[in-house]
Amino acid sequence: MFIYLMLSIILISLIYFRGRNPALTFEIIHDILFPVIVVLLIFDSLGGIVHYINPRDIDPILIKIDYSIFGVHPTVWLERLSTPLLTDILHISYTTYYFLPIILGIILKLKKKHAEFDLTIFLILLGFYTSYIGYILFPALGPRFTIEHLHASEITGSGITQWIRQTLDSLEGIKRDAFPSGHTEIVLILLYIVWRFEKLLFYIYIPLIVMLMFSTVYCRYHYVIDVLAGGLLAVVCILIGPKLYNLLEFNKQRRI
């Protein structure tokens, strides 16, 4: 998740040097980086507490569910589609998860859509927190580790694939964060938000998000049931999030 913070700093710096607006830059840094830091700190702490709360991984159950649905192990079946180019593309797609929320937040800030920005932050944080609860209640490593012996070989691309995997492994560590798929949950919440507030961005995000969701299984980070669970949680957040936001009235002038 450290990469999330670094990308935030890079993107915000670009806005500053192009816009030369220190006040707006400070507002962006304050309103975007603070939630990012909070998410980073909580996520980083999960590796040390999940097994203290719930010591039993549920990977065997998830593996059985996937197999009962498809009659095959999806990550094993997808090996037949594997090419170095596709592997590179999908690993890059997987990392767009770290860009998409920040880009949306900056766009909303630049357009002075303050109420929309506040709701966006609330929904994204709600998505993160519900996924973290899932990791604690249902610890799972994911198919990359648990059914490695069933895969004919490791999926390989060029140096970019290896760099992405090594970077994520070294920065995130090995956590029980497979179920539900937080990647799926967050990007579907984002898709709902851009559909409401940034229609042009919606059509740009659609193909990126579809590729990202596919990459979670192809790259062996998630079982298909993880993706489905992440999608279900996204729907729950979308349905209750705006109502909860207005109910809590964080800012009475910005109800939406």
Side-chain angles (χ1 to χ4, degrees), residues 157-203:
S158 68
I160 187 65
T161 287
Q162 302 310 314
W163 180 81
I164 288 171
R165 299 191 80 163
Q166 291 171 6
T167 301
L168 292 177
D169 286 346
S170 62
L171 296 178
E172 293 189 357
I174 298 175
K175 292 183 172 66
R176 269 71 183 175
D177 60 349
F179 185 89
S181 170
H183 276 60
T184 298
E185 181 182 5
I186 297 302
V187 296
L188 288 179
I189 291 173
L190 281 176
L191 196 62
Y192 162 75
I193 294 168
V194 294
W195 174 74
R196 282 192 62 179
F197 304 136
E198 290 291 332
K199 284 298 197 300
L200 177 60
L201 198 61
F202 172 77
Y203 295 107

Side-chain angles (χ1 to χ4, degrees), residues 86-98:
L86 181 61
T87 298
D88 283 345
I89 291 172
L90 290 178
H91 272 84
I92 293 171
S93 297
Y94 187 80
T95 64
T96 60
Y97 167 79
Y98 303 102

